[in-house]
Amino acid sequence: MTTQSHSANVWQPTANIETLKQRAQIIQQIRQFFVSRKVLEVETPSLSQHGVTDLHLENLTAHYRGPGFASGVDLYLQTSPEFAMKRLLAAGSGCIFQLAKAFRDDEFGRQHNPEFTMLEWYRVGFDRALLMNEVADLVKTVLKVPRCDAYTYQQLFLTHLQLDVLTCSFADLTNKLQQIERADIIDLADDKTGLLQVMFAELIEPNIAADVPCFVYHFPAEQASLARLNKDDPRVAERFELYFKGIELANGFDELTNADEQLKRFEHDNVLRVHNGKAAKSIDMRLIAALNAGLPQCSGVALGVDRLIMLALGAKSIEEVIAFPLTRC
């Protein structure tokens, strides 16, 4: 006699088989997009001996006890394949892309699963503007939209909140929040950078990209630790994000190639982590060594594949487009 689970269908995928077939077609479409442009597909490890220093990201961890390490070693599931892909670029790979599993000890819900599929690619010789054009080409192909709009971060705050984010103070931000009766936001951050991020998520994102995807670019320099600063205005970085229908789809950079500057930014990240009660992370010195060896001028972007498929198929939840979310693992 067998014992039945309290829920007899927990073994089944949350996405139906027809949706999984459509998912496979979209992933094939993505691969063909890059093959037609002669971009090399690569694979890099999901595990690393180093995590990410970013204040707002946390790695899932594992411990390896097998041969090769006398007392075992702590390993981090990667939040993106970025660092390893940059090592390939420094080794002379040329333009590359990867469809990788990524892992984040983060939110879980309609748009989030701790394990997800990320499309990441790097274009040697591209700047931010050229890469934005290529992202738009891919998104228009998959989502069948006529165009993508684009606005600077500064422009959006001026339009929606009458604030110049490049000149205003923390006090200016809190005063504005009190004026618009959103003082509840003030306690969610204790510095200008953090408060801007919360204000963008709460007050800007819901008011953009309802009809067509929207790029936001030239983020404040403090919000882009892996990006080059704009040569004409170092207050902003050559970073962009892409939004559509309330979903953040992609995050891209004109990549920082200076090893010393990158090391300083990682060290500053760790200062922020400690200040916010988090453990500092060991810095990936293999990446720093790759930058010292010479990372070619390039731009790179990470795009959430599960979210892209949600939008393409009109799904309301990430569980509708992946076979087994965390609740069914």
Side-chain angles (χ1 to χ4, degrees):
M1 181 176 178
T2 60
T3 301
Q4 284 202 331
S5 164
H6 66 281
S7 179
N9 68 344
V10 293
W11 62 270
Q12 294 180 341
T14 52
N16 63 49
I17 300 304
E18 182 55 38
T19 295
L20 295 177
K21 288 178 180 178
Q22 292 174 301
R23 177 188 177 96
Q25 290 170 353
I26 291 171
I27 288 174
Q28 183 58 37
Q29 189 178 30
I30 291 169
R31 280 201 163 93
Q32 188 54 45
F33 178 88
F34 290 105
V35 168
S36 69
R37 294 174 182 230
K38 296 182 170 53
V39 180
L40 176 69
E41 183 171 7
V42 298
E43 293 179 285
T44 57
S46 294
L47 289 170
S48 172
Q49 294 176 53
H50 303 280
V52 289
T53 59
D54 191 307
L55 174 63
H56 303 289
L57 290 178
E58 291 298 332
N59 297 91
L60 289 166
T61 60
H63 187 77
Y64 175 70
R65 297 177 180 83
F69 294 87
S71 57
V73 62
D74 290 327
L75 296 171
Y76 298 88
L77 286 159
Q78 293 300 278
T79 58
S80 94
E82 176 175 2
F83 291 1
M85 291 182 77
K86 284 182 174 176
R87 289 164 62 185
L88 289 178
L89 288 160
S93 66
C95 300
I96 53 177
F97 82 97
Q98 180 170 189
L99 283 156
K101 287 295 184 182
F103 306 84
R104 295 184 182 181
D105 192 359
D106 201 332
E107 299 175 63
F108 178 78
R110 189 177 76 85
Q111 296 180 24
H112 298 85
N113 192 60
E115 176 183 352
F116 59 99
T117 302
M118 178 178 284
L119 167 65
E120 188 148 332
W121 78 95
Y122 293 85
R123 291 297 239 140
V124 175
F126 275 36
D127 61 11
R128 172 200 49 80
L130 282 174
L131 187 59
M132 281 172 57
N133 289 340
E134 186 162 72
V135 174
D137 288 343
L138 175 64
V139 166
K140 287 188 290 186
T141 299
V142 174
L143 298 182
K144 299 177 173 55
V145 292
R147 70 179 195 280
C148 296
D149 291 338
Y151 304 94
T152 68
Y153 191 90
Q154 180 187 35
Q155 203 175 349
L156 288 173
F157 270 88
L158 284 169
T159 299
H160 294 279
L161 294 171
Q162 297 76 53
L163 278 169
D164 186 343
V165 295
L166 301 182
T167 61
C168 69
S169 66
F170 182 77
D172 293 331
L173 298 181
T174 58
N175 288 339
K176 173 60 70 171
L177 288 170
Q178 288 166 342
Q179 288 171 17
I180 64 173
E181 300 183 348
R182 287 304 308 268
D184 57 300
I185 292 177
I186 296 172
D187 292 336
L188 299 178
D190 59 6
D191 63 10
K192 178 182 173 181
T193 297
L195 192 54
L196 279 176
Q197 290 172 312
V198 175
M199 291 174 70
F200 186 86
E202 293 285 328
L203 306 174
I204 305 293
E205 281 185 42
N207 296 304
I208 61 173
D211 301 315
V212 295
C214 175
F215 287 101
V216 181
Y217 66 100
H218 281 172
F219 279 73
E222 297 79 12
Q223 295 185 34
S225 68
L226 293 160
R228 284 178 184 265
L229 300 184
N230 180 272
K231 66 179 186 299
D232 297 319
D233 186 352
R235 297 176 300 173
V236 300
E238 295 294 357
R239 173 190 171 197
F240 67 85
E241 290 192 351
L242 179 65
Y243 298 87
F244 190 35
K245 295 184 177 179
I247 292 177
E248 179 193 333
L249 262 182
N251 186 17
F253 304 93
D254 190 352
E255 301 295 344
L256 180 65
T257 58
N258 184 294
D260 293 337
E261 177 61 25
Q262 185 64 80
L263 182 57
K264 285 178 188 174
R265 294 191 192 183
F266 284 156
E267 290 169 343
H268 180 64
D269 284 349
N270 271 332
V271 170
L272 293 176
R273 289 182 66 84
V274 171
H275 176 73
N276 284 272
K278 296 184 176 184
K281 294 285 183 68
S282 64
I283 293 170
D284 189 344
M285 296 307 294
R286 292 187 178 94
L287 173 64
I288 300 301
L291 297 183
N292 265 319
L295 182 71
Q297 188 281 315
C298 61
S299 290
V301 60
L303 184 148
V305 173
D306 306 315
R307 293 178 177 186
L308 182 68
I309 294 170
M310 279 177 62
L311 289 165
L313 301 184
K316 303 232 181 322
S317 167
I318 202 168
E319 292 192 353
E320 296 176 49
V321 299
I322 61 177
F324 301 111
L326 184 63
T327 52
R328 300 260 175 126
C329 291

